[in-house]
Every structure is written in C-alpha cells, then in structure tokens.
Amino acid sequence: SYRTGPFAAGGIAFADGYADYFTLLNERDGGIGGVMASVPECETAYNAEKGVECYEATKAEGALVYQPLATSITYQLIPKVEVDGIPLHTMGYGRTSAKNGEVFRHTFNYPVNYWDGASAGVNHFLDLNDGSLEGRKITLLHFNGAYGKEPIPTLEALAEKHGFELTTIAIDYPGQEQKSQWLQIRRERPDYILFWGWGVMNQVAVQEAANIGYPMENFMGIWWSGSENDVLPAGAAADGYKALAFHEMGSDFPVFDDIQTYVVDAGKAAGAGDQIGSVLYNRGLYAAFLAAEAAADAQEATGEPEITAAMMRDAMESLEITAQDMEDAGIPGFGPVFSVTCQNHGGDGLASVAQWDATAQEWSLISDFFPSDGEVVNALIKADSEAFAAENDITPSCD
Amino acid sequence: MLYREAGDFKTSYPEDSQTFPIAFDRWRYWAVLAIAFLVIPFVINDYWASSLMVPFLIYAIAAIGLNILTGYCGQVSLGTGGFMAVGAYACYKLMTAFPDVNIVFHVLLAGGITAAVGAAFGLPSLRIKGFYLAVATLAAQFFLVWLFNKVAWFYNYSASGQINAPERFIFGTAVTGPSAPAWAQYLVCLVFVTFCAVLARNLTRGSLGRSWMAIRDMDIAAEIIGVNPLKAKLTAFAVSSFFIGISGALFFAVYLGAVEAGDSFGITKSFLVLFMVILGGLGSIFGSFAGAAFLVILPVFLKIIGVDVLGWPTEMVAHLQLVIVGALIMFFLIKEPHGLAQLWRLAKEKLRLWPFPY
Amino acid sequence: MSADFLYGIEVIINGLMAGVLYALVALGFVLIFKASGIFNYAQGVMALFAALTLVGVMEGQVPFSHVINAVFGTEIHHFGWEVPALLAIFVTLMVMVLFAWLVQQLVFRHLVGQEPIILFMATIGLAYFLEGVGDLMWGSEIKTLALGLPQGGSLVVEDWTAGLGGDDFYGFFIDKLDMVATLVAIVLVAGLIGFAQYTKQGRAMRAVADDHQAALSVGISLNFIWVLVWSLAGLVALVAGVMWGAKSGVQFSLSLIALKALPVLMLGGFTSIPGAIVGGLIIGVGEKLFEYMIGPMVGGATENWFAYVLALIFLVFRPQGLFGEKIIERV
Amino acid sequence: MLDDTKTETLLEVNNIEVIYNHVILVLKGVSLSVPKGGITALLGGNGAGKTTTLKAISNLLHSERGEVTKGSIMYRGDRVQDLQPSDLVKRGVIQVMEGRHCFEHLTIEENLMTGAYTRTDGAGAVSADLEMVYNYFPRLRERRKSQAGYTSGGEQQMCAIGRAIMSKPETILLDEPSMGLAPQLVEEIFTIVKNLNENEGVSFLLAEQNTNVALRFAHHGYILESGRVVMEGPAAELRENPDVKEFYLGMSEDGRKSFRDVRSYRRRKRWLA
Amino acid sequence: MLDEGYVTADGRQIGGVMMDMRGITLRFGGVEAIKNISFDIREGEIRAIIGPNGAGKSSMLNVISGFYNPQEGEVWFHGKRRPPMKPFQVARQGIARTFQNIALFEGMTVLDNVMTGRLTQMKSGMLAQAIWKGKAEREETANREVVEKIIDFLEIQAIRKTPVGRLPYGLKKRVELARALAAEPKLLLLDEPMAGMNVEEKEDMSRFILDVNDEFGTTIALIEHDMGVVMDLSDRVVVMDYGRKIGDGTPDEVRNNQEVIDAYLGVAHD
Ligand SMILES: Nc1ncnc2c1ncn2[C@@H]1O[C@H](COP(=O)(O)OP(=O)(O)OP(=O)(O)O)[C@@H](O)[C@H]1O
Ligand SMILES: Nc1ncnc2c1ncn2[C@@H]1O[C@H](COP(=O)(O)OP(=O)(O)OP(=O)(O)O)[C@@H](O)[C@H]1O
Ligand SMILES: [Mg+2]
Ligand SMILES: [Mg+2]
C-alpha cells in the first residue's frame, strides 16, 4: 500500500478497507476456514523499488497473493510471480493483457481492466445518444505515463467502430497546473471527456472543469478518478461529475455493521476509521473479499486448511462470484457476478457508472453493471499478450 | 601500531602514487575484495540480493559517476535520473535489437551512449555555473523522461510504455529476467562496480583528474594556467554519464527487470544519488560506496525496526522514516560536511598519531 | 479579429496568471538565497506545511493525533472548536516563525560558512523531515481549504469580451482565483523589494549573502537575519500554499510546486525579487504558448520540461539570469 | 607615547590554545594584552598564528572549524570567549579581516553602512561618520556607487577599514592592513590609524608583516612564531633588537641590504638556538 | 633604441623584444582601466610594473595572459601579432603566472597543485589514463620528476602532501610560484608575489625569482608594491597611474621621475 507520497490520499482508504475486511473475518469468524488471515502491509509510496523490496522480504513467509496497487510495481512483479509461483491480483489496474491467463499464468486482473473501462465509458455515452456517436467529439484527458496511456489503443479502435472523433490530451505528473489543457478543451468543446488521472491531477481537473463551466455530466473519470477526495476540493461545482465503478458505493450494507462492531469498536481498525464507506475503502474491502473467497475455495477444493500459493492460484483461476457469495458476505449486489477461467483471468469486464451528488456529498451508481465491448477489447488483449509471449519465449497454454 | 607511514618508504614515484600508499590499507582492500568475490556469492539469498546488495552496488556505480562530475569537477548535476534512464533505455533497445550479443557489451554500450548524451547536456556548463547549472540540468532530467515516455520507439511500442528486460545469459547463467539466481545478479553488478571503481580511480589520479579538480576549485585560474575548460567539463560530463548509464542499464536489466521512465528515473532518483555522493564525501571514491551503502540500508533498517520489531502501523513508520532520514541527513551534514569519507580519514589521521592527541 | 488569434491572447493572459502563481513560490526561494546563499529546496514543503497547519488550526484538529492514537491507543481527533480564518492565519504565521527559529537554531547555525551545495543538501534533508512531520502532525489525507476565495472563470470578463471575435469565440477565460493571486503577489513583491533595498535589515541581509565571515565581523547577527528571512519565507510559503491549495486541496503534491518555481528562479536570477515575478511571467506565458502551439505536434505534456529548457536558453546568454547579480569573475 | 603601566588593560588574552579541525594545534599558549588607547602590534612570519589569534579574540573561529581549547580571553575584565561575534561588536571590538572581505555585491557605500549595523545612535551620527570616512579615504567617495567586487585591491582594503570605523569601535583588530597597498597608501593608512588612535581614542591590535611600518606606529609589540610569543616589548625597544633588525626589518650592520645580495646567505635565529 | 638588447648593470645580456604591447586600451563599462599603453618586455629581463592601487596593473597582466581582451591595441609576442585567444591557449604558448589573490586549488595537495602546472605538457589520452599502466604511468612519472625538482628548488618538500587550504599565506604564494614554474614558461608573470610577507620571506622569494631568471633564463614581469624589492630586482620598470603610463625606464630613472614620485612613491625612495 502507499499511505505516503503523492498518492497517499488514495492509498490510505484502499489499504484500510483491505485490512479491515480481513480483521473482520478473523475477529468474527475466526479467520477463513478456521485459519487466521494475516495481511502484512508494506509502505511503497508508489515506488517500484520499495515494492520489489517488499515482495522479496515477504515472499518467503508463505504469501498467498499480492495486491501491489500500483501499475509500475505490477510490471516488476509479473515476471517474478511466474517464477515464484505466487498469484498476483491487480484489480482494475495493472497490465490489461494479463487477462489472458494462458500467457500470464499467475497474474489476475478480474473483475475489470482498463480497456474494459474505456469501452464501458464509450458504451455509456452510446446509451446517452441512442446508440450512435457518429460525428461526436470525445476527448481522452490522461496522465502522461503507462497508466494514462493504456486506454488509447482501445479508444482508437472504438473511434473507428463508432465513428466518433478522438483527441487525447496528456497531463504530466503531478498535474497541478492544467490551465493549457483546459483552455484547449474549452476551445474545442468536446461532447464528452474521458479522464484517466490519479492523485492531485483528479482534484485539479474537476476544479478546472468547473471553472470553465464544462457540463459535469459529460465528464467521466475512470474508477481511479472517482473518489470523494477527487471531488470534495471543488465543492458544489463538482456536482454531476461521473466516474466508472465496478462495485457499489456507500456503507449501506450489512457488512459495515459487523465492521463497526467487530473491528472499529474493538479498536482494531487499520486506519483512523474515518474512511469507512468511502469509495476507495469499499474498493479495498471488495478486493479483500475476492481474495478471501478464493482462499475459501482453495480450502474447500483441497480439503486442507493451510493452503499454499499454488492452491490459491488454482482457486483464483476457477473463482466464481455469485450473488449468493456476496449475500453471504454481507454485501449483496456489491459487485458484478463473474467467473474466472484459465483463458480469462479478467472476469467479464462488467462496469457501472457512478455520479457525484455534491449536496448529499456522496457517490452513487446510476446504472447496472454492464459489459464492455468484448469483441474489440479481447482482440486487443490477444494481440498484446501474444506479443509478450513471443518476446519472452512463453508458449501460451492452460496446463 | 600497524597503522604507520613511517618505515613504509617509497623508492619510486609510481610506488608513491599508487592507490593505497600504506601497506595496511592495501591488505585490507584486498581482503574486502576477496570476501566480496569469494564469500558473499555463496551465502547470498534473494532477499539480500534484491533488497540490499544489488541496489547498493548499482547505486555505488551511479554515485561514483556523479562524484566524478560533482565531487571532482565541481559541476552539480540534478540530471542523474534522466541519464540513468538513457542507460536503461539504450540497454533495452540494444538487448532487443541484438539479442545474440552478450549483455555485458550492451551494458557497456549503453554507458557509451549515455556518455554522448551527457556530454551534449554538459555543453551549457561552459556558460552556466553553480546552482544555475544544477537547475539547468533538471532540463535534461525532465526532457529525457518526457522523451522516453512520448516516443514509442524507445519502448518498442508496447501498450503501456513499460520496458521489460528479456532473459539474458552470461556463461550460461541467467543474469536478467525473473529466473536469474541471486548470486549471479550480485556477481555481475560486483564485476561492473569493480571495473568502474578502478577506472574512476585511474582517471582521477592522472592529468585528466587534476584538470577536473582545478576546474572545480577555481575555474578561472585553471583556465589561465592552461586547462581547456571545454575539454575538462565535457570529459567530466561524459565519463560521469558513462558510469551513470551503466548503472541505469543494470538498474533496469538486472535489478528491477521492468521500468517506466517517469516512475523509476524521476527527480527523486537524482536527489538520492546526489545525497549518496554528499553524505559519502565529495571527491572520494570510497565515499561513493559509503554513501550508497548508507542510503540503501538505512530505510530497510528503519522499516525493520519500526514495522517488524515495534509493530507500528506502516504508514506511521513511513512518515517517521522520512523524519528520521531527513534528520539524519542534516545531522551528518552538521557533524561532518565532508562526508563519511572525511570521518574515515580523520579517524585514520588520529590513528596515525595515536597515542598522541595531536 | 479571428478567434484563433483571440484564443492565442487568452492563452497568453492565462499564462501570465499562472506565472504569478509560480512566482509566488519562487519568491520564497529568492529571499532565503539572497540572505544566506542557501538554495532552499524545502520551500515547496514549507508551503504544504503552512497550508496544512492553516487547515488544521481552522478545523481544530489535534496535532499528531495519529501518532498519539497509535502509541497510546486513544481516539482523539478534534478539539471540537473551529477557529476563524484570520485568527488561524495568524496562528499559522506564528508557527512558521517558530519553525524558522528552530531551523536556524538546530540546523543552519551549525553550517555557517559551509559550501553552498552542503547547505542545499541540508535543505533537502529538511524537506524530507518537514514532509514527514507535516503528515504525522495533520494526517496525509486531502484537505479542503475553505477560506472563501473566489474561484472559477470570471463571467464578467467573459461576457465583456465575447463580442470581440466571431461565433467561434466565447470570450476570454480568466480565473478569479488567479486575479486574487496577482493582487496578493503585487503587494508582496512591493513590500519585499522595499525591505531589501531600503532598510538596514535588508542591507544586512544582502551583506550576509555575500560573505558570512565578514558579516559576522561587522556585528551582524547571522542568527537574527536568518530567522528573519526564514520567517519571511514562511509567510510567502503560506501565501503560496493558500493559493495553490485552493485549486487542488491541501495535500502532498503541494510540495512539488517547488519544481515549477525552479525554472522561474533560474530565469529571473536567484537573487532578484523582481526577477522572480518577471521570470514567472515569462515562464508562464512561454510554456502555455508552447503547449498551445507546438504541444499538439509533439504529443503534449511538454510543460514540465519546457520551462526548464526555456530558462536554459536564456541562461546561455545571461548566466546569472535576467535580473540576477552579475557573477563577479576576477583574478 | 603611552606609558604602559598606568593605563587600563582593555583586552587580555591568557595562554590560549587553538585547535583547527580537532587535530591541528595552531596556537600553543599565547598571552597578550592591549591597553586602552594603545596601538599594539602582533608581528611574526607566515603561519605564525597572528590571524588565528585575532579570530580567536573576535570569536570568528567557529565557522572555520577551529576552537579555543585552553586559556581565557577577557575584555574589560569580562570573559568574552563564549559571546557571539555580534555581541562583541556591540561591546566595541571589531575586526578588519585579512584579505579584505568586502561584500562584493554591495556598493562601497552600502558596505560602509553595514559597518553601522549595530549602532543605535541615530541616522545623523551615522552619516556624519560616513562623511568622516570619506574624508579619510577620498578614493572611496569617488567609487561609492561601484560594487565592491569590481574595485581594486587597495580600494577594497580602504573599504574594509572604513567599514570598521563606521561601527564607532573602541578597539579595532586590524589584520594585515598594508598587504597589497601602494607604499604611499600604507603610510596613509597608518597615519589614519594613528589619527584615530590619538583623536578618537581607538585602541588597535594590529597584525602585520610589514614590521618596519608597524613598529614605527605601534607602542608595544609581540612577536609570534609557530604559535608562541617569542618576544615582546615596547616598540622602540624591539626596533633596536638586533634579531628583529635582521629578520624583520631587513637591516644588516651596515644599513639596508639589497635583495640582490640574499643569494648565498643563510641566517640563524638566535632566540631559537 | 635598444633593438638587439642591452647589458644590465650586473652584466647580464638581455635579448630582443619578446612581448610587445602596443596601444592597449581596456574598458569595463564606463571605467577605463587601461588607457592607450605601450611597452615591451625583452627576452631574459626582469620587468616590473608599479603604480598606485587601481592603476590597472593587474588588468594589464590579465591582458597579457588573455583573460581580458583589450578593446584597442595589439599584443605582439615573439615578433608576431597575437590574435585574440583564450587564456588556456596563451598558457600553451609558454606564459605562466601567479595571482594577486592567491588562486590555488584549495581542495588539492601541494603536489597536485604543482602537477596541474604541467597539464600543458601532458598528452596521454583519456583511454590511456583509464588503463593507467603503461603510457599514462610513464608520463606521470616523468612529469613528477620535473615537479619534484621544482619542489626541491623552492624548498617546499616538507608540505608536499598537505592540502593547500591549510597552508599559511606565504607558503601558498610559494606553491603558486611552483605551479607557474612547473609549466616551464618562457614568460613568467608575477602579481604581487611578496604581498603579505615579512622581510625574511621576501628575501627568500627574491632569491627564487633571481634564480629562476638566472638558471632557466625565464623572462619575468612582476607587479610589486615593495619598492625595495622592485628597485633591487628589476631591470626596467613601467609605472602606471589611473590607467596611464607615467614612466618607463631603469629603476634609477623611475625613482627620480617627479611624476612618479607624486603619484606613487610619496617620498623619494633611496
Ligand atoms: N581553517 C584552518 N584549518 C586548518 N589549519 C588552519 C586553518 N587556518 C589556519 N590554519 C593554520 O594555522 C596556522 C596559523 O595560521 P594564521 O593564519 O593564524 O597565520 P598568520 O600568522 O596570520 O599568517 P599570515 O601572515 O600568513 O597571515 C597556519 O599554519 C595554518 O596552516
Ligand atoms: N572585471 C572588472 N570589471 C569592472 N572593473 C574592473 C574589473 N577589473 C578591474 N576593474 C577596475 O579597473 C581598475 C584597475 O584594476 P586593477 O585590478 O588592474 O588595479 P591594480 O593596479 O592591480 O591595483 P592593486 O594594486 O590595488 O591591485 C580598478 O579601478 C578596478 O575597479
Ligand atoms: Mg594572517
Ligand atoms: Mg592588482
């Protein structure tokens, strides 16, 4: 996790959610299948070297799954986990083409990835326009780095398919000054803006959009650009801003009562306890839930309470999240229903759209979970993962 | 009693200008080398290699490089990160373009390419001095990182802009890629470090080194007594960048295996290496090692104390770590502005005089 | 007038405004450099720290509550009161003065007469330290600065100028916050110039910058002068922190604005207060225009490096910056 | 000429030891005293420790990593070793440092004004003194608006002395004022020193290589060698001492000897024997 | 006209003109530091430049060593007009100097400082130096021998390995002289070599200067304020005042020149 450094604000909530869920399982249920879960946390400050250091330091302790929460660390770990045989879960980030489990045996990125996100965003705009974006202008405003550049090929493919005009505008790290980008947007008046930002870039972008009077409902961020942190500094002006999501918002779920009772009141909360119910907290919790489910599956499948990384991997590869699973965990309808296979480490790419309500100060989903354009996305994934396989002498296979 | 110059007479000038004029020093360094080459490879494991030894050795190369520029030639540079990136990307392009050539040559060539780039960015140093130059080198830092981010050719058009080190072998053992054994990675870095240190030592004791130091101490006077400032500064930039390029190449290929320019070679890297040089001691090769060791080990050590021993929340430890590292840096600078190397020298000087106080 | 031309003008105007914001940060550097030859890298972090403190005081946060809670297992966060903005600003200023005093007593007093690079490194150490302390003290989540500064494009200006171009032109966009910043900057700069040139302390400050030893020998107390300039730099940091914090919320990234200020400094000259302003304006306009005209051709996001390269080009012709004191080269 | 025994002692240095960098012992027990209203000369070859002594007195050693490890320094009977340099200036002791040390980027006039930094007696008195300094050094008036960094060595020396005068001191520690000055100017500066001493009652402690001039103007002298005082006495006596004559004044039995004659000539210092 | 040289009072033969300054004018902004000055320096002579502070003496040396380019006038060296060149190129023509405010390389030892004086003589390339063994080492040794001779000559053996920052003033001056000599110059420029020295040390310095002139036949131009030294050592003296030349000739001529007495000496020196 990273609770320090430029992206601390996002890192804290996620880490709290992740840790609290496991604490809850330990406190309430006595662990997973009777085995206490331990969640060692390393502070990486979003820094690749520290990530690697952490990985090396902890892998010998029998780690079951890694959740690095930074795209760059993911890239370093992908080859390492193949050798060490430990699964890596990059939920909604990381290397998109890792969805192809034939090439990336140990890397999982269910339930959604960036290319799904790009496609989902376009789908949403399609919905708003009765299925046609012919002649519309869509601008991708993105972080000038690996993360921000991920959606470009997908969007280019989609632009061709749907006949909209795509422009991309890059913002360099850290993105405190975006005047020129927004003046450009003001001049060109795109119909829609898709936004791939992280950290301070988000807050400034939302603020600047408000400043130039851009209609907020046409401005949509990826899920990493859609937390309370991103919209609060802009105040009322942020009302109506949208962001993609792949899980529910708010604390209106039974699990939160349990967290209050077993974790917060017991004084075992990971952080200050002030993040509960925030978007990123929920995301951390959701990630923890998925990991816990896989672990439980592994125990079930092998009949052994003490599972190994290899068992964990196999369980992740056959993971199936049903409505019942979520119900049992106290989070009914929290995320999409999906399943993982060896060919598909990325789930079904179901995403949803959330919108910010500045008066109520809360995010809420305004759509169901809907699929991405699998045709476009999967073709791209295939191409990219095969290129990787060729470069690294991997024979794609499923056994 | 062992540590005396007296009785250690030199009868020729070459002997007098050798690296370690005092016999005891000489023996000690041979011992260190012997341990480094003959003992450590057999005991090292993944954790030690990848979180301590390999980064230490790689940073030591970068620190030697920067020390040549800043410590010997007096030109402060904040572009180290950018130059490491040049080394890394050059190495990547070479590795993928000529997969059959041994990686050692790729790394050396990457150093050479970086040297050329460094010399080009060194040109303004003829006019610009001191902190103005330091800030100007940031232009290199930001421009290079931007370039590697923008021009897809550098990362072979991969979707994410990351570069990944393919697996390469030396004498049949993998040294890059995920399955490279720890000892091999360590040994490769060690060989390069030794090579660089010897090179740096030779260059700094000869006429080139003296013209660098002359420029550092007083550039006008140096020019008037016959030092060509253009040549001195550009060679310093080139040599320094050569080392930094090698370290960037190793950093990418051997240590991390995958990098993204903005993330791994940002300005924090420049500062980190500069810290190593200053804490270690400007104008001292030993200091480069000391500084690198100090700054690689310290955070790991603090983390172990804070998280594993005291059991504090990681975030608090991380913040405390910042506080402690910051405070220690200030403390050291106050205690001994000339770095760990100077502390070492003073200790030796005392030892030489021992048992007399002065 | 054609819309394209007018948009160009708009870019220039906005560049000027952005430049003022850069200059605000650069000013802090100039003050300290002028008085002590210290290149204070911590200026950005000081801005962050000042803004954090301001928010913390206003909201009645308990300092170090995270640490206290973690170590003693307590659950305290707020004092339960809110402090009015003006009082909070005053308290923050006092904190910055205290900070200045501590920095002087504990660090720079012991480094008198050291080489500039050593001092520079010490300020980076200070930056780390202060960053850690700021986070421990107030927590690292994003905070909103509610000083009630106006924000958003000025409709008045927009309506007024909309008629200038054809249908394609929507009128000039000028951010109200930028206008406030410009005003504040003008006042600040005028005050500081007056101080440095025409007061005894200002003269002493410049003397100290030239030769520490000689300054000591004529009875100037380095301690006092340095505490003074660090306090002034703290004030400037607070202003910068407020202006930038209003845009983006108060958070770690505020400390990175130092990087935007460096090329400004280099261009204007490290020792010149007016230079900081002029440098800021040139950089602001230059980078915005470049991004506007050339940016799209090379893929954009040029602002980070362009400012540096622009400054570098200027420096090749004037090695001491536009207004910097001439580097005296004699033998 | 002043009578040593009657006047009050202003400054008293007692057996001090100074160490640089924790290892280099430079002063090995130096004692001297400066009487009120006197001109005391501190003579000695290069590296004898004159500068170090002066810096020890004005507390400027600290920033050079030097420290006084033994002995005491008293001014008007108070121990002043632990004061800040600026406190010492406030008490009326100011040093003109060796090698001029003007503030390069300030103009000559600004340089002079910094001298008045510690004064509290109003702008009028300060500008009167400024006028006085300009009268002593007309050359400075001509160049008052130039940056000190661009003035010649001699001008800088005048500036440094003028700056010290501006603080209205009681005691001036003057380190090698004649270095690099034209002969005429050396005379002038010493005459000014003498005037200040006689008219304003300023006491001087003067480190000098130019023994000839120094002994002509001083009342009392100390000769320092390798960190020890090897000889002291009234200036007139020192001038007559044969060793001093030979080694510091460059005189042989038969008047001044030529620098061309030094070739094959070896000397021996009697007091070291 | 003394075209083919002259014989000095103590019987040394002085050669033809080596350095000829013709109508030199040097301005800094508004300040005219040197105003249309011409003079020459002859092979083998000791030439002094004197004058009040700020007269432009150091500036004149700076013109000779190429650090300042005069706005007007020509510099002739060995009978050829010298085009404007960089200081290091001038140094390579065999002109070495010392500085008024010592300009030693503080971070280096005495030995290294003196060795820098030989940089103009050292030719081995970067690669050779990186490898060290062989060419570079031989060259280093050869040059070291020259330098050690100079160190012996100036009697600074004892401080060979001391960093110069720690040395007292007088020794620094001597090291600076050593550095200049190491270049084996044809023309040696000394800017106040004896400032800040006592008589004993001045005597030593005088001896060195005379020996250098004698043994190596080096031509010397020196600036000095000690009239005793100037009058005793130099063959001919140029006197400057406010950038103008007010006198030029043998010490005796100069010392009796009324203008020189008024402007500089104050009283007639014996
Ligand atoms: N900063 C320093 N560090 C180490 N040694 C020093 C330092 N400053 C002076 N010294 C040593 O102290 C001794 C005395 O020096 P000092 O400058 O006091 O002599 P001085 O009598 O003033 O000589 P001079 O006439 O040349 O000015 C010298 O040997 C010198 O090398
Ligand atoms: N780089 C420069 N810029 C401006 N003015 C200068 C510069 N160098 C010298 N001067 C001026 O030129 C004049 C001559 O200076 P110079 O240093 O040559 O004098 P000098 O004869 O060597 O005097 P001194 O005996 O005091 O050393 C002085 O008035 C000085 O201020
Ligand atoms: Mg002295
Ligand atoms: Mg001069």
Side-chain angles (χ1 to χ4, degrees), chain D residues 47 49-52 98 175-176 179 207 209, chain E residues 169:
Chain D
K50 305 181 295 294
T51 303
T52 306
E98 180 181 43
D175 202 352
E176 307 226 11
M179 194 202 295
Q209 295 272 12
Chain E
Y169 192 81

Side-chain angles (χ1 to χ4, degrees), chain C residues 329-330, chain D residues 100 139 143 150-155 180-182, chain E residues 28-29 31-33 51-60 68 100 191-192 223 225:
Chain C
E329 291 198 329
R330 285 193 65 183
Chain D
R100 338 208 206 275
R139 177 97 202 170
R143 310 226 47 177
Y150 286 113
T151 55
S152 81
E155 289 157 353
L181 293 195
Chain E
F28 299 108
V31 185
E32 212 166 41
N53 295 111
K57 306 179 295 294
S58 300
S59 302
M60 184 57 97
Y68 290 153
Q100 180 170 10
D191 197 346
E192 306 200 11
I223 297 176
H225 283 302

Side-chain angles (χ1 to χ4, degrees), chain C residues 10-328:
Chain C
E10 179 186 64
V11 169
I12 292 179
I13 296 175
N14 275 283
L16 287 173
M17 301 274 183
V20 169
L21 279 174
Y22 300 158
L24 272 181
V25 188
L27 270 182
F29 279 93
V30 170
L31 276 174
I32 292 181
F33 191 80
K34 221 172 153 62
S36 52
I38 294 176
F39 192 93
N40 179 26
Y41 185 74
Q43 186 68 28
V45 185
M46 278 167 68
L48 169 65
F49 183 76
L52 276 176
T53 309
L54 181 61
V55 177
V57 171
M58 278 171 74
E59 293 183 350
Q61 244 185 315
V62 180
F64 296 110
S65 56
H66 292 276
V67 187
I68 297 171
N69 294 345
V71 177
F72 301 106
T74 47
E75 277 298 329
I76 44 172
H77 295 289
H78 287 273
F79 288 120
W81 66 62
E82 288 196 0
V83 181
L86 275 181
L87 183 60
I89 289 179
F90 179 76
V91 172
T92 309
L93 271 183
M94 288 302 105
V95 172
M96 294 316 284
V97 171
L98 178 71
F99 166 74
W101 184 79
L102 284 176
V103 165
Q104 179 53 25
Q105 286 305 308
L106 298 178
V107 186
F108 292 102
R109 198 162 64 105
H110 306 284
L111 287 171
V112 176
Q114 290 304 337
E115 285 158 52
I117 176 143
I118 304 288
L119 297 169
F120 173 56
M121 284 290 118
T123 66
I124 301 182
L126 181 66
Y128 285 8
F129 181 81
L130 195 60
E131 188 189 320
V133 169
D135 280 352
L136 286 175
M137 206 161 157
W138 304 113
S140 48
E141 58 277 359
I142 298 183
K143 299 180 185 61
T144 318
L145 191 62
L147 278 183
L149 292 170
Q151 282 207 337
S154 162
L155 291 177
V156 185
V157 177
E158 195 167 331
D159 289 346
W160 241 40
T161 49
L164 286 176
D167 285 344
D168 285 345
F169 187 66
Y170 319 115
F172 286 135
F173 171 82
I174 292 174
D175 196 328
K176 283 180 270 184
L177 182 69
D178 286 352
M179 296 200 234
V180 176
T182 309
L183 272 182
V184 172
I186 291 172
V187 173
L188 211 56
V189 168
L192 290 175
I193 291 179
F195 169 78
Q197 287 301 332
Y198 304 110
T199 65
K200 175 171 134 178
Q201 304 298 358
R203 195 162 49 227
M205 173 179 112
R206 287 186 292 140
V208 169
D210 258 1
D211 191 329
H212 295 176
Q213 280 249 325
L216 278 173
S217 83
V218 296
I220 295 172
S221 159
L222 296 193
N223 264 338
F224 173 73
I225 293 289
W226 286 353
V227 171
L228 182 73
V229 293
W230 278 85
S231 305
L232 282 177
L235 165 75
V236 175
L238 176 62
V239 174
V242 166
M243 294 299 162
W244 283 90
K247 267 172 115 94
S248 58
V250 177
Q251 55 171 315
F252 169 84
S253 301
L254 263 185
S255 61
L256 299 174
I257 54 178
L259 292 179
K260 295 251 82 166
L262 294 183
V264 171
L265 275 176
M266 187 158 92
L267 186 64
F270 290 160
T271 48
S272 164
I273 294 173
I277 290 292
V278 178
L281 296 184
I282 294 179
I283 295 276
V285 172
E287 69 175 26
K288 295 285 174 294
L289 267 185
F290 187 80
E291 179 76 28
Y292 173 61
M293 308 214 290
I294 316 280
M297 287 179 234
V298 295
T302 56
E303 281 166 277
N304 266 1
W305 60 267
F306 180 75
Y308 284 93
V309 173
L310 182 70
L312 184 68
I313 293 169
F314 267 89
L315 277 202
V316 170
F317 296 100
R318 261 188 86 83
Q320 71 276 31
L322 286 180
F323 294 86
E325 279 161 352
K326 209 158 163 214
I327 300 162
I328 293 179

Side-chain angles (χ1 to χ4, degrees), chain A residues 3 49 56 59 76 146 149, chain B residues 46 50 59 149 160 258 269:
Chain A
R3 292 160 181 272
E49 286 159 70
E56 296 291 350
K59 80 176 183 195
Q76 260 110 47
K149 286 190 288 194
Chain B
D46 271 2
S50 61
Y59 279 122
N149 230 328
S160 58
K269 191 113 301 161

Side-chain angles (χ1 to χ4, degrees), chain E residues 38-173:
Chain E
S38 306
F39 71 96
D40 59 6
I41 303 170
R42 284 168 177 279
E43 209 101 34
E45 87 182 326
I46 299 182
R47 187 76 150 121
I49 304 176
I50 62 172
N53 295 111
K57 306 179 295 294
S58 300
S59 302
M60 184 57 97
L61 282 205
N62 282 332
V63 169
I64 297 179
S65 58
F67 184 61
Y68 290 153
N69 269 321
Q71 277 79 10
E72 283 161 38
E74 298 170 359
V75 180
W76 288 68
F77 188 54
H78 284 308
K80 279 200 283 284
R81 179 167 176 195
R82 193 177 80 185
M85 42 169 74
K86 295 247 173 332
F88 72 91
Q89 292 167 319
V90 172
R92 290 182 186 182
Q93 294 197 332
I95 300 183
R97 67 173 288 183
T98 66
F99 302 87
Q100 180 170 10
N101 296 315
I102 298 171
L104 284 173
F105 306 124
E106 299 267 328
M108 301 157 75
T109 62
V110 169
L111 183 64
D112 278 335
N113 262 283
V114 182
M115 285 293 280
T116 57
R118 292 210 58 81
L119 283 176
T120 46
Q121 259 84 1
M122 295 173 80
K123 299 276 181 288
S124 67
M126 190 154 86
L127 216 57
Q129 288 184 46
I131 298 164
W132 192 251
K133 290 283 167 215
K135 186 159 175 259
E137 190 171 21
R138 276 197 305 280
E139 185 181 67
E140 172 89 4
T141 312
N143 282 290
R144 176 81 187 269
E145 271 158 16
V146 179
V147 163
E148 289 289 342
K149 276 205 199 89
I150 290 164
I151 288 179
D152 282 348
F153 175 70
L154 292 179
E155 297 168 9
I156 45 178
Q157 304 91 327
I159 53 166
R160 220 193 256 123
K161 295 269 169 89
T162 322
V164 290
R166 287 187 198 168
L167 294 180
Y169 192 81
L171 276 180
K172 282 188 184 171
K173 289 236 139 180

Side-chain angles (χ1 to χ4, degrees), chain D residues 12 59 68-83 88 91:
Chain D
E12 182 139 26
N59 279 327
V68 179
T69 47
K70 257 192 210 151
S72 66
I73 299 168
M74 319 286 272
Y75 189 74
R76 292 179 167 281
D78 303 331
R79 201 180 140 95
V80 291
Q81 252 148 295
D82 315 309
L83 295 183
L88 216 62
R91 291 183 185 217

